[in-house]
Amino acid sequence: MDNIRNFCIIAHIDHGKSTLADRMLEYTKTIKITENQMLDDMDLERERGITIKSHAIQMDYTLDGTKYILNLIDTPGHVDFSYEVSRSIAACEGALLVVDATQGVQAQTISNLYMAIDHDLEIIPVINKIDMPNAMPDEVEDEIVDLIGCDPEDIIRASGKTGEGVPDILKAVVKRIPAPKGDPKAPLQMMIFDSLFNSFRGIIVLGKVMNGSVRQGDKVKFVQTGMEYTADEVGVLKMDLEPRKELSTGEVGYIISGIKDATEVKVGDTITHVNNPCKEAIEGFEEVKPMVFAGVYPIDPAEYENLRSSLEKLQLNDASLTFSPESSQALGFGFRCGFLGLLHMEIVQERLDREFNMEVITTVPNVSYKVYTKQGEELEVHNPSGLPDPTEIDHIDEPYIRASIITSSDYIGPIIKLCLDKRGELLDQQYISGNRVELHFMLPLGEIVIDFYDKLKSISKGYASFDYHIDSYRPSKLIKLDILLNGEPVDALSTLTHVDNAVTLGRNMCEKLKELIPRQQFDIAIQAAIGAKIVARETVKQVRKDVLAKCYGGDVSRKRKLLEKQKKGKKRMKQIGNVQVPQKAFLAVLKLD
């Protein structure tokens, strides 16, 4: 146990965590490097250049003649995947805090750092990308010293590209990070921090052995679900799964026990022996709280059950996804899914398409509101169609977040204006160092859920970084905005919005839908309504055949007869015709200005 070190890499998005991990794997001869970002094994991760999943891998390292086992977990940097980071931190004793020498400390750096400090991890600060021509290692060093109060000598300068500084990092991991604590003779306690689905072998559970040990063939029990299994195979995580006879205290590894049902494995659960169970489960991590809700519906209604099993398998690999069944008049049966943010929603949609060949329609995302009725009841509403009758509502509370934005002082004006336009309220601003400012805002979550992050990035030319956590619920004047097509409400397009924004939003949605809904043989009226009041209207003109083309001259009554006949046909068509709303229209509504 004294020779085991468990550590993770935390940083803001794009600060070079995965590249640095590559250099460590190369230096310890765990892999012969063939391509970059070896740990990002999803096509999506490679294409977008971001880490979506935490990846655990074991390295063998020798220092002064002693062999050490290093378990490294590479984590995502985007705010939408912070739950992945919190689970990785729970399985470690130390963390490498990587800061980009060209960008300095950013919002996600700070929030991940606080998460690691809360778990009493040993922090090793690393300045990455020092080989870049625009690197500012001395300024960034001062920022890190201000942030964590360490000595400048403790900070390691490295480059994930050239491999400079990697030997120093590995040496620091062994010297500074404590060995895992635990009692090898106590009953088995293994904490699950992740799981994967394999269509041949069932569910592969990844965990860290806190106390005791587990051998191949042992009878094990999952404490939360109470299910019992046989450990068919145990082992450690190299580039592939590597079977071992036994996993002992402090080790990170996997168990395969032929579990087929996704609902039987919960991330954060404890595994113990059936014959000699532990007294109590390990404190896991808190339950994930979804921030954004959207309906996910199969394009073909017959695919409903397949969509359910696809979501269950995806949930194994991404524990922050939550879903429950719901139905819609326009789209039939589907699921109400909870996501941590818009990028998370986009990634889940993309993964459903690529990994499970599921074509889905996603409705406009919204957040959950607390509705208080005049009878004194409190309801939680995730969906505008779940709103009670307006006459019964006393008031509605909406969630507010406390946001921290770090930017250079050149962009303070436009950023404050953006936040105030989103009904935000400036709490304070602090100069961190030089011309970098940290701004704190209270903002309604419903306002930032659609396009706030994109706008913030374009205003600040990509320099502002953003992090947030839920603060409280506050009363708000919210109303339901309905979209009607030929007088029929499309419930998938209805939204809850603030009184001040309702008319503008209604007008924008009508204009956008006019561009996207294909023309039919009859006029389509697109209307935005608040209750019974229509606030905006657009018309998609009908496609008309020129019935007069064959009339060369002749009497006007003949022309009129043909036009009347056409008019009757159009009227009949309008009664039986229905309007298909393309998927593009649902997505375009998200990106409204």
Side-chain angles (χ1 to χ4, degrees):
M1 242 172 82
D2 295 341
N3 296 351
I4 296 175
R5 300 287 183 273
N6 299 319
F7 67 103
C8 58
I9 305 187
I10 53 176
H12 189 79
I13 189 167
D14 248 1
H15 280 202
K17 295 178 291 301
S18 300
T19 314
L20 202 57
D22 281 354
R23 295 292 87 77
M24 288 191 224
L25 296 175
E26 202 178 333
Y27 186 82
T28 56
K29 302 195 169 45
T30 309
I31 52 170
K32 291 186 177 66
I33 204 79
T34 49
E35 53 188 309
N36 281 341
Q37 271 86 25
M38 290 297 290
L39 293 180
D40 290 350
D41 49 11
M42 249 188 268
D43 294 345
L44 257 178
E45 292 181 314
R46 296 256 168 98
E47 280 167 28
R48 290 171 178 244
I50 56 175
T51 304
I52 294 167
K53 281 290 305 156
S54 298
H55 296 277
I57 189 164
Q58 191 178 90
M59 306 181 280
D60 298 322
Y61 173 64
T62 309
L63 179 67
D64 304 335
T66 313
K67 280 193 170 177
Y68 292 93
I69 293 173
L70 310 183
N71 288 309
L72 154 72
I73 304 180
D74 177 26
T75 63
H78 195 282
V79 60
D80 277 13
F81 303 114
S82 53
Y83 187 60
E84 288 282 329
V85 183
S86 75
R87 302 201 326 258
S88 308
I89 285 176
C92 294
E93 281 81 38
L96 296 182
L97 179 74
V98 177
V99 181
D100 187 332
T102 62
Q103 310 234 339
V105 171
Q106 295 197 298
Q108 202 56 32
T109 318
I110 295 177
S111 93
N112 286 343
L113 171 71
Y114 287 158
M115 215 189 288
I117 290 174
D118 286 347
H119 281 79
D120 294 333
L121 298 199
E122 178 64 39
I123 308 290
I124 299 177
V126 176
I127 299 179
N128 192 19
K129 305 191 186 180
I130 55 164
D131 59 310
M132 299 281 276
N134 56 342
M136 318 169 289
D138 297 335
E139 288 92 325
V140 175
E141 192 170 272
D142 295 343
E143 284 181 25
I144 296 176
V145 170
D146 287 349
L147 181 65
I148 51 180
C150 62
D151 294 331
E153 297 79 62
D154 294 346
I155 301 171
I156 301 169
R157 298 188 179 191
S159 161
K161 201 172 186 181
T162 61
E164 186 185 337
V166 170
D168 300 340
I169 294 176
L170 292 167
K171 215 172 281 178
V173 166
V174 170
K175 291 271 198 304
R176 294 197 221 165
I177 293 177
K181 296 179 180 63
D183 182 355
K185 295 191 171 56
L188 169 69
Q189 279 183 316
M190 180 173 179
M191 182 179 68
I192 304 175
F193 66 84
D194 208 351
S195 51
L196 316 161
F197 182 79
N198 181 313
S199 45
F200 300 107
R201 315 200 58 183
I203 290 161
I204 301 169
V205 177
L206 312 185
K208 178 188 175 189
V209 182
M210 299 296 203
N211 291 309
S213 61
V214 59
R215 288 174 162 278
Q216 189 176 346
D218 282 359
K219 285 263 191 290
V220 293
K221 174 181 169 186
F222 288 48
V223 176
Q224 267 185 20
T225 55
M227 307 295 279
E228 298 181 0
Y229 307 98
T230 305
D232 300 332
E233 181 179 310
V234 299
V236 295
L237 302 145
K238 294 283 179 121
M239 269 323 276
D240 295 313
L241 305 178
E242 200 167 281
R244 292 278 159 94
K245 290 268 187 323
E246 179 181 37
L247 283 181
S248 50
T249 308
E251 287 199 281
V252 172
Y254 69 90
I255 291 185
I256 299 177
S257 46
I259 308 170
K260 288 284 183 275
D261 186 359
T263 53
E264 292 172 21
V265 177
K266 291 206 168 27
V267 166
D269 195 357
T270 304
I271 302 177
T272 186
H273 280 132
V274 173
N275 305 334
N276 181 14
C278 56
K279 299 274 190 298
E280 56 196 34
I282 305 161
E283 283 292 308
F285 352 88
E286 65 247 42
E287 278 291 300
V288 60
K289 294 186 189 70
M291 303 284 182
V292 181
F293 294 89
V296 173
Y297 294 87
I299 288 179
D300 174 6
E303 292 284 303
Y304 176 73
E305 280 305 323
N306 290 351
L307 179 59
R308 181 199 295 275
S309 69
S310 304
L311 282 169
E312 281 176 358
K313 288 171 190 168
L314 199 55
Q315 195 178 33
L316 270 180
N317 197 245
D318 179 357
S320 46
L321 170 70
T322 59
F323 64 92
S324 57
E326 75 162 1
S327 63
S328 139
Q329 297 161 0
L331 301 169
F333 290 102
F335 295 93
R336 185 103 203 130
C337 295
F339 307 97
L340 293 184
L342 276 190
L343 176 71
H344 186 209
M345 177 176 129
E346 212 178 301
I347 295 291
V348 166
Q349 210 177 327
E350 191 88 4
R351 286 183 70 184
L352 279 172
D353 182 28
R354 291 187 184 201
E355 294 173 28
F356 303 101
N357 295 326
M358 290 300 310
E359 289 193 355
V360 294
I361 289 179
T362 312
T363 63
V364 182
N366 50 28
V367 298
S368 62
Y369 298 96
K370 287 184 176 165
V371 178
Y372 295 90
T373 62
K374 288 180 176 164
Q375 284 80 34
E377 288 179 282
E378 181 189 322
L379 309 168
E380 194 167 282
V381 175
H382 303 313
N383 190 345
S385 61
L387 209 62
D389 194 80
T391 52
E392 293 174 17
I393 297 174
D394 182 46
H395 67 279
I396 302 178
D397 285 1
E398 68 171 330
Y400 268 71
I401 59 162
R402 189 187 170 94
S404 136
I405 297 171
I406 295 183
T407 175
S408 72
S409 49
D410 312 349
Y411 308 114
I412 289 185
I415 286 176
I416 291 181
K417 182 179 181 305
L418 170 71
C419 293
L420 295 179
D421 288 349
K422 297 280 187 189
R423 297 191 283 128
E425 137 194 357
L426 179 63
L427 299 176
D428 63 20
Q429 63 186 60
Q430 297 159 350
Y431 280 81
I432 304 176
S433 65
N435 69 340
R436 291 164 66 79
V437 189
E438 183 170 12
L439 304 166
H440 288 114
F441 282 94
M442 287 297 273
L443 284 159
L445 181 60
E447 292 283 344
I448 68 155
V449 99
I450 304 277
D451 58 354
F452 177 80
Y453 194 66
D454 298 348
K455 283 185 176 168
L456 179 69
K457 282 293 184 196
S458 53
I459 282 175
S460 64
K461 302 195 169 50
Y463 276 112
S465 57
F466 173 69
D467 183 47
Y468 63 88
H469 56 243
I470 286 284
D471 186 81
S472 57
Y473 279 79
R474 297 183 180 187
S476 186
K477 287 185 179 169
L478 296 167
I479 47 176
K480 184 180 172 190
L481 178 75
D482 284 315
I483 298 292
L484 313 176
L485 294 183
N486 280 344
E488 290 292 317
V490 181
D491 59 353
L493 286 175
S494 56
T495 47
L496 277 174
T497 178
H498 196 262
V499 172
D500 302 347
N501 307 340
V503 176
T504 326
L505 179 67
R507 195 172 297 129
N508 288 349
M509 281 172 90
C510 288
E511 285 167 7
K512 199 79 187 168
L513 287 169
K514 183 184 177 183
E515 294 167 23
L516 293 164
I517 290 179
R519 289 171 70 187
Q520 308 279 349
Q521 301 274 344
F522 50 88
D523 278 356
I524 302 170
I526 305 168
Q527 294 165 309
I530 299 168
K533 182 183 169 194
I534 304 288
V535 292
R537 172 181 168 135
E538 294 287 339
T539 310
V540 178
K541 295 308 273 180
Q542 60 193 9
V543 182
R544 294 181 59 175
K545 181 181 169 190
D546 187 0
V547 287
L548 304 182
K550 60 187 180 190
C551 300
Y552 296 106
D555 189 34
V556 72
S557 60
R558 185 171 171 221
K559 291 182 182 174
R560 196 168 293 135
K561 184 179 153 193
L562 287 168
L563 288 170
E564 285 299 324
K565 189 178 171 188
Q566 185 185 35
K567 203 162 151 191
K568 270 185 199 158
K570 294 276 180 209
K571 194 174 170 187
R572 191 167 67 246
M573 211 180 273
K574 188 169 183 175
Q575 285 165 356
I576 59 166
N578 62 349
V579 185
Q580 291 294 327
V581 183
Q583 165 73 0
K584 270 201 313 211
F586 290 109
L587 294 176
V589 171
L590 312 188
K591 300 215 162 50
L592 282 176
D593 260 346

